[in-house]
Amino acid sequence: MNRLGLLGTSALRSSAVFGLALVVAAPAVAQDTTTDEVEVVETAEQGEGEIVVTGSRIRRDEYSTIEPITVVTAEEITQAGFNSATDALQSNAVTAGSGQINNYYGGFVTDGGTGANTLGLRNLGPARTLILLNGRRLSPAGTRGSVLAADLNVLPTAIVERIEVLKAGASSVYGSDAVAGVVNIITDQKVRGLSIEAQVNVPEVGAGVDRRVAATFGFGTTRLNIIGSLEYRKRDGFSINDASFTGCPIPGYLDGEGSEFGSADPYPIGDPRNCFTIDNGGATINTLGVPTRDAIGRTSGVVGRFNRLVPDASVTTGPTPGYAGVGLYDRDSYDPAMGEEYVVTPTEIYTGFFSGTYDLDALGNAELYGEVLATRRKSSAYLYRQLSLDYLRGSPLLPTEFRNGAFLAPNETSSGQIVAARAFIGFGLTDSRQNVDYVRAGGGIRGDFALPGWRYDAYIGKSWTDATYEVESFLIDRIANSLLVTQNTDGTFSCTNAATFANCVAAPELNADTIGGRLPQAYRDYILANTVGTNKFRETTFAVGIDGPIFALPGGDAQLAIGAEYRQQRIDDTPDENAINGNLLGLTSSLPTRGTDSVREVFGEVFLPILSNRPFFENLNLNASARYTDYESYGSDVTYKIAGEWEVVRGFGLRASYGTSYRAPALAEQFLGATSGFLGAGTDPCDSDNFPSDPSDYSANDQLVAQNCAAVGLDVTTFVQNNSIKTFTRGGAEFGLEAETSTNWSVGAVARPTLGSAGSLSLALDYFDIKVENGVSSLGAGTILNRCYGDTAFDPDAGFCRFVVRDANNELEVNSDYVNLSTDIVKGFEFNARYAVDVFDGRFTLNANVTKYTEQSSRLFPEEYLTDANGTYVTPDWVGSFDATFRTGKVTFRYGLDWIDSSSGTYDYFAYDEQTGQVDEDLAQAYRDSYILEVPDYFLHSASVQFNVAEDFELTAGVRNLFDKQPPRISAAVNTIGNAPLYSGYDYIGRSFFVNTAFKF
């Protein structure tokens, strides 16, 4: 991947050196592959010999742009071993280290649902990056109500000519969402004949094979042009058992700063009992929860006080025969089935793309054009489930010794009765499946306008998403009724409410088999149901525009583009009725998400070539754009942008831009139906585990929280929260949610020194500064709880506490909504270089792209101090991408390197108090003494060789992650996979081999 013009040798075989978003641009002509001039490539957005480059609506006769644009060509995608445009777009070379939602997130709740792949530039999230296909936006797609951004899975790959990535705000040109940048996928409009392409990527471990086969075709006459592609891709799942680094996840705690990783874990380093503890990867299973009682300890062998027991037939004496007492780490927490959960989820995708043009020879040499993209994605994920069966006080299903206890207060499965004992059961794997159908169809007419050199373009488009999402779920009402039983005369049990629940199956008796997960199949089938939700998303677009020269300037003709656009979106997400009714045990519940929004816009852009071919003014150009927007949801706004380029002398120039952008609230952010979630019981600020054992060691904040907890009758020295905390998130339309606003400015320099026979060199350095204000954000439940109980003016019914409900049993419920609060700032430098030289009867080319972030900060509330995450373990401050190619004859060799800088300041980041703007040094040191949360430099190498065996046959083979680099290892105090950070920038698969073949008929 390289900058605009620093291209590889695919459809853009005449490499353009100075398109690093160049300030220097000569008229473009097609050249052979040994030159460094720009080739004119006709796209669906241009006329004969004229180009519209991403980030502008002005047609130019040269392949240049004022702002830096990254270009990924089809050949580069193949040579790098990516099996799809999606994989290429989510690589570090494009994202510059920004974390992305990809197929590593199968076990997490993400926007767009499991299997969705999105792209967010500058670490500002996918909802702030606009995705285009041939200059027209892709509507959001996915499952569940929180569909916010385009799903990259819908993109074709085989017919892609190049991808242009503008990392700058462009709302004045394209409208909402173009805050962090714009990605434009451009298809090849010159396809002729039939081509067959196939690729397979095979990880060295043998699992997770990724295969794709595609056919592209094109035919036409002097007036008709038809092109298209059909693709099928299937990627097998890659499980925990398949990855070497996930084989034994441990807590990874330290016994003081600098001590060995895992030195403070429950067992000695290397002891397999540290694997899959409840701190990392495991869950309490094969265990019975009872009121605290005497029992012989499983590990100690002596009598102690325990509230967790495990069946143990070897215990024949003592206070609790048949059971041993266990603590936090000697209870069972690993089931081999856990290893079958996916690290990379499986996917099957069918894609069809068709495009056509027809010259009318009328209406100003008009051309009719149309395009259809259709995809079907099938994805799935396993989820290991722990089942908790709450046996009621006095239940005949309980052994006599546990029948009259009081382990828990009444809860959702106890029918309002006291729970005497809870069985923590390893149920096994449950399945979830997603099916997403996406169609985008559009077309229009374009031709010469009334004035010389002017063109018009009128377009209408429609997008459809129809998705289903299925999840195997435990039903609360069935479990509750199964535990209300009557004992029959023959000793069996029947459901007390069998008349109401005709198919009710009584819960099994509490014994070693039940606790061990050996449940009757009829009972498993009864409590587990396949729940199905549907999502429909619609977008309609009407657009019209004209452009052409307006007057002559010393540097050429001034150009003007003006137009208008109307868009309407509608979402209709209907969860399964059990999710709507809150009948899913341990999973989120949600209400329907339904709403519409529309926007009317007018826009204009002007390009002014002020001077050229003058002393100290080889070129001086100015570009300005503005857009008026009127949304039905939040009202109107005006955005603008101005950019300029000054080539001081031939080979050296300066450029700068400043603009405003905005992001209208997505339909999901406006209308999201209340969606439930869960926080761990320990998130309760009043839980005793959150405080030092000695009150004299309390910090000032500990003392304040303890005081506020006491105000609601809780003693933080003894209180233990035994229940998960329910959370509910809702859309913010009823609270007057408004659009985000942002400013984006950059300044840079481009140099192309003359080297003569020593080759050609191009250098570019740019500084960028993006600030998003009035940001749309959901108040995190954890934030609400901490702000509620950390308030010096604590009132359980006011302030943040108004979002918190603590019932008589001390069960917590937290409600949060989307609101306009947050601020995000990203600043940094981008350096790009390209060197090319003819050597050894071939062409050697070296590309380097390096990003240095100087700030990646945010705050949730306006009164807070900014918290800078720059340089932390998943927010690197330095990121680099390098590749070298050597083409000789019909063979091309490529070597690639991605680099992610080591982290620093992570401990200070976690110990930073956004309300005071200070780092709690004692807390930071406590983190250093307890955890490894920083990572070393990370390098990924790749290599390939490409053979153009014949004019109609090409073969590419190579290796990704050449040295089988594993992701770094950190402690399990944050989201991890195994002991690796959850971060898209790392490779979880290991060394993999790929082969791509292409035939043309």
Side-chain angles (χ1 to χ4, degrees), residues 26 121 174 273 334 343 376 398 527 587 599 614 622 643 725 958:
L121 300 174
Y174 295 110
R273 289 177 293 179
Y334 174 65
V343 174
R376 166 166 288 185
L398 283 168
I527 63 173
L587 294 180
V599 58
R614 305 286 179 89
L622 185 68
I725 298 169

Side-chain angles (χ1 to χ4, degrees), residues 72-89:
V72 183
T73 67
E75 188 167 70
E76 289 172 318
I77 292 174
T78 300
Q79 291 177 350
F82 297 119
N83 205 4
S84 70
T86 301
D87 296 341
L89 283 170

Side-chain angles (χ1 to χ4, degrees), residues 976-993:
T976 58
I977 295 181
N979 277 112
L982 177 62
Y983 175 51
S984 61
Y986 299 134
D987 177 39
Y988 293 162
I989 295 177
R991 183 187 294 119
S992 61
F993 305 91

Side-chain angles (χ1 to χ4, degrees), residues 746-979:
S746 65
V747 61
V750 181
R752 185 188 180 188
T754 301
L755 302 180
S757 60
S760 61
L761 176 67
S762 293
L763 305 169
L765 177 65
D766 290 275
Y767 174 79
F768 57 87
D769 183 313
I770 305 172
K771 183 176 183 180
V772 179
E773 296 184 287
N774 206 37
V776 175
S777 180
S778 174
L779 294 174
T783 298
I784 291 173
L785 281 170
N786 291 332
R787 286 300 187 90
C788 168
Y789 283 89
D791 192 346
T792 54
F794 178 74
D795 182 341
D797 300 315
F800 283 94
C801 293
R802 71 185 187 275
F803 303 115
V804 179
V805 177
R806 186 184 291 273
D807 67 14
N809 297 312
N810 281 310
E811 292 191 35
L812 279 174
E813 181 179 295
V814 184
N815 296 283
S816 62
D817 312 300
Y818 280 102
V819 291
N820 292 101
L821 287 175
S822 66
T823 298
D824 295 277
I825 297 176
V826 181
K827 300 177 182 179
F829 295 88
E830 277 198 339
F831 171 75
N832 302 278
R834 180 186 190 272
Y835 175 71
V837 64
D838 293 325
V839 63
F840 299 123
D841 296 324
R843 182 73 165 173
F844 173 79
T845 304
L846 177 65
N847 289 297
N849 305 317
V850 178
T851 299
K852 163 60 178 174
Y853 295 97
T854 59
E855 181 178 351
Q856 299 182 75
S857 61
S858 63
R859 64 184 172 206
L860 184 58
F861 301 98
E863 67 273 14
E864 290 179 344
Y865 288 88
L866 287 162
T867 302
D868 193 354
N870 195 41
T872 56
Y873 69 106
V874 291
T875 315
D877 54 352
W878 284 93
V879 179
S881 176
F882 312 87
D883 68 82
T885 59
F886 179 67
R887 179 185 291 270
T888 177
K890 296 183 177 181
V891 182
T892 301
F893 301 92
R894 177 190 181 275
Y895 196 94
L897 170 65
D898 285 340
W899 165 56
I900 298 174
D901 189 24
S902 59
S903 64
S904 61
T906 301
Y907 301 104
D908 288 349
Y909 169 75
F910 282 113
Y912 180 82
D913 187 338
E914 62 274 6
Q915 297 181 66
T916 64
Q918 302 295 320
V919 173
D920 185 330
E921 299 294 347
D922 292 338
L923 183 59
Q925 186 59 50
Y927 288 148
R928 292 187 183 93
D929 290 339
S930 302
Y931 309 115
I932 291 290
L933 294 176
E934 294 188 345
V935 297
D937 288 274
Y938 184 76
F939 297 93
L940 280 178
H941 301 257
S942 62
S944 68
V945 59
Q946 187 174 79
F947 302 93
N948 292 296
V949 179
E951 183 177 352
D952 298 328
F953 174 60
E954 182 180 86
L955 174 67
T956 307
V959 184
R960 291 188 54 76
N961 195 351
L962 182 62
F963 298 109
D964 199 23
K965 178 69 173 180
Q966 293 189 2
R969 188 171 61 168
I970 63 173
S971 304
V974 294
N975 285 334
T976 58
I977 295 181
N979 277 112

